Amino acid sequence: KKADFDVDSTAALSDEERKIKAWSAQAALEMDGKAPTPVFDGEGSDIIVDYRDVKIAGFLSTFVGTTAADRDGDYVADGAFDKTLAEFRKNPVMLTDHMNRVSSLAGSFTKIGVNKKGLAVEGTLSNAPDVISTRFKVAEGHLKTMSMGGLFFFNPDGRGIEEVTLFEGSLTPVPANPDAIVQVRSLTAIDAAKAMKSF
């Protein structure tokens, strides 16, 4: 059956038919323990023209115990990634704004795992010239949130996502998840270990 991407998310789903809809849920990201490497415009200059080796850590999604509902009223059930996460690890792409095109490829996720809060990730932004604007925004702390994209299987209440087929994780400027807005900061190795303790 073809997925119905125009499902009214306020309608409860019947037991006879589980509908699938595209959905994205934003969650906070943080810089990892290593600061990005600034590139200056010349010898002795203090003008930064690029950031290299920008790494992030955070959550692509949080479970209902952490986020009771996003701004659309949807929530993610514990175990939603259990059946399908191995497939995402084969091509763990990081996009911008959920745009499935080469020009929107920002980097990739290097660590992906589930802990009691949700789907924890670490990632690296590409050092490619066309990603420079995104690297700046992340390194300077302006771009602070991420979002997941894929197919989302809802339980009969039409709100609870019981299974996720994850296609990509995106850097996005406005979070749907009310718990997503946090201060971007550098993590110590101890902080990073605590955040990713399920790995």
Side-chain angles (χ1 to χ4, degrees):
K1 180 177 188 256
K2 185 178 175 188
D4 180 358
F5 294 122
D6 297 317
V7 174
D8 176 3
S9 64
T10 63
L13 304 179
S14 69
D15 289 336
E16 293 80 31
E17 182 180 23
R18 274 195 343 182
K19 300 207 179 198
I20 305 168
K21 69 178 179 178
W23 182 81
S24 66
Q26 286 76 17
L29 68 88
E30 298 176 333
M31 300 299 293
D32 82 347
K34 221 176 175 187
T37 305
V39 178
F40 298 95
D41 73 345
E43 205 170 304
S45 171
D46 62 353
I47 298 171
I48 297 172
V49 295
D50 197 359
Y51 286 94
R52 311 291 283 177
D53 308 316
V54 178
K55 298 181 186 299
I56 58 171
F59 289 88
L60 271 179
S61 176
T62 52
F63 295 136
V64 65
T66 300
T67 307
D70 68 13
R71 291 184 175 111
D72 296 322
D74 295 334
Y75 61 89
V76 179
D78 290 19
F81 301 98
D82 292 352
K83 294 180 186 174
T84 61
L85 203 52
E87 191 63 27
F88 178 65
R89 286 188 178 107
K90 295 176 186 177
N91 185 35
V93 294
M94 182 192 308
L95 302 178
T96 56
D97 302 314
H98 299 293
M99 302 302 292
N100 184 20
R101 56 177 75 132
V102 173
S103 61
S104 295
L105 181 61
S108 60
F109 295 102
T110 55
K111 215 172 201 184
I112 306 155
V114 175
N115 62 27
K116 65 181 182 180
K117 261 185 98 171
L119 181 60
V121 294
E122 290 180 5
T124 303
L125 274 67
S126 170
N127 284 332
D130 64 333
V131 185
I132 189 169
S133 175
T134 304
R135 288 195 301 270
F136 259 90
K137 290 167 190 164
V138 171
E140 293 178 345
H142 304 296
L143 184 53
K144 305 178 187 183
T145 54
M146 295 191 313
S147 168
M148 64 177 180
L151 291 178
F152 302 83
F153 297 80
F154 283 72
N155 65 25
D157 71 5
R159 293 295 188 188
I161 298 167
E162 59 187 14
E163 187 175 316
V164 176
T165 301
L166 190 62
F167 294 157
E168 50 87 14
S170 281
L171 296 165
T172 53
V174 179
N177 185 325
D179 297 323
I181 300 172
V182 298
Q183 188 173 34
V184 176
R185 63 186 177 92
S186 292
L187 293 173
T188 66
I190 292 170
D191 290 335
K194 285 180 185 173
M196 309 305 267
K197 68 182 174 184
S198 67
F199 297 137

